[in-house]
Every structure is written in structure tokens, then in C-alpha cells.
Amino acid sequence: MPSRSQYALMSSKDKNTVLFTCYSSAIAFFDFLIYLYLADMLAATLFPVSSDPNLMKIQGLSLFAIGYVARPLGGVIFGRYGDIKGRKPLLLISILITAASLLAMGCLPTYAQWGLAAPALFIVLRIIHGMAYGLYVPLSWVFVAEHVPRQYLSVGCSYVTA
């Protein structure tokens, strides 16, 4: 916690910390949830063409579910590292992993070009992306909670969530 009076006002550094975390949270949330909206297109691109449209929808939604299920793994695997080395480096690492995995997913070839390697690589990258996002979300709340005065704790965390 910052070493200042319990009734101190939020400084410009505190406001910048909250704003940075809010903007990066919005981008990370968008990056994570975009797959829900693009499920049909991704399934058509990454899986073999199927005559059953319901199977295509299930395949597309499974890509979203894989990332969602991987979220707790990020906190379990990297949480201790954040306690030892600090939350700020881990927050930046999670942002970089999220961005790098998203870039790699965007550069992947289609099923028609690489066959089964394309969906396999996409699933691995989606797991990594989900783990980084699962690490980022609670870490951003803790990071804001540690850098704002106590009376602004709920406001700062609610901005991050919103």
C-alpha cells in the first residue's frame, strides 16, 4: 500500500495508473471475447469443411471455451511468480503474452494450407492467450488496489472492471 495518509487525494500518478489499467483491460477483454463473435468464421477457416452447420458452430464455440477454461491455469501457474518478483513485471508480461499470442493467431494459416497443424496451433495459442488473460484480470485489480489511496480502492477497481 502507498505510504501516505489514509485521507490523501488521488494523485495524477494514481490516476494514470488507473487509466492505463482500464485501457489495457478494455483491450484485453475485447481480444478475449472477439472469438465469441467470430466463432463461425474461425470454424470455417480452421477446421475441415463440414456439411453440418451445427457441428461448425460447436467447433467455433469450442475455440472460445478452450480459452475460457484455460483462464484459471494462468493464475495457478504464474501467481507465485508475481508474489515473489512483483506484480508490475507480471502485469506487463501478461499484457505482452496476450498481445503476442493474438498476433500469432492472426498470422496462422488456414486448414486448407496446413491441415491439422493449423487448428492444433490455434488451440495451443488460445490456451496461452486464455492463461495470460486469466492472469491479467485479477492482477489488474490487485495492482490498482496497491497503487491508489484506500478510500479510492473501490472506485479504482470498479473502473478496471467497467
Side-chain angles (χ1 to χ4, degrees):
M1 293 299 244
S3 59
R4 53 187 158 192
S5 169
Q6 177 181 349
Y7 303 104
L9 295 175
M10 197 180 249
S11 68
S12 62
K13 185 176 179 183
D14 297 334
K15 291 176 187 176
N16 289 339
T17 300
V18 172
L19 283 174
F20 170 75
T21 309
C22 288
Y23 290 138
S24 57
S25 291
I27 292 169
F29 188 70
F30 174 77
D31 289 346
F32 189 76
L33 288 180
I34 194 70
Y35 296 100
L36 188 60
Y37 300 110
L38 299 174
D40 294 334
M41 185 191 73
L42 287 171
T45 305
L46 293 171
F47 293 110
V49 178
S50 173
S51 60
D52 187 12
N54 292 329
L55 180 63
M56 296 272 297
K57 287 189 185 294
I58 290 172
Q59 288 173 337
L61 291 176
S62 68
L63 293 175
F64 176 74
I66 287 169
Y68 208 78
V69 169
R71 285 179 65 185
L73 294 175
V76 170
I77 293 172
F78 296 108
R80 183 71 180 142
Y81 177 81
D83 289 338
I84 295 170
K85 298 292 183 180
R87 288 168 185 83
K88 186 175 183 178
L90 193 58
L91 184 67
L92 294 175
I93 288 170
S94 68
I95 291 171
L96 291 175
I97 291 173
T98 301
S101 63
L102 184 67
L103 178 66
M105 282 186 258
C107 295
L108 278 178
T110 64
Y111 179 82
Q113 294 170 331
W114 277 23
L116 288 176
L121 285 173
F122 190 86
I123 288 169
V124 168
L125 288 170
R126 187 70 177 140
I127 290 171
I128 292 169
H129 188 241
M131 287 172 56
Y133 182 72
L135 176 65
Y136 176 79
V137 172
L139 191 59
S140 63
W141 293 325
V142 171
F143 186 75
V144 166
E146 289 178 343
H147 287 84
V148 298
R150 185 179 182 138
Q151 70 268 20
Y152 295 107
L153 179 66
S154 60
V155 172
C157 289
S158 65
Y159 281 150
V160 172
T161 304

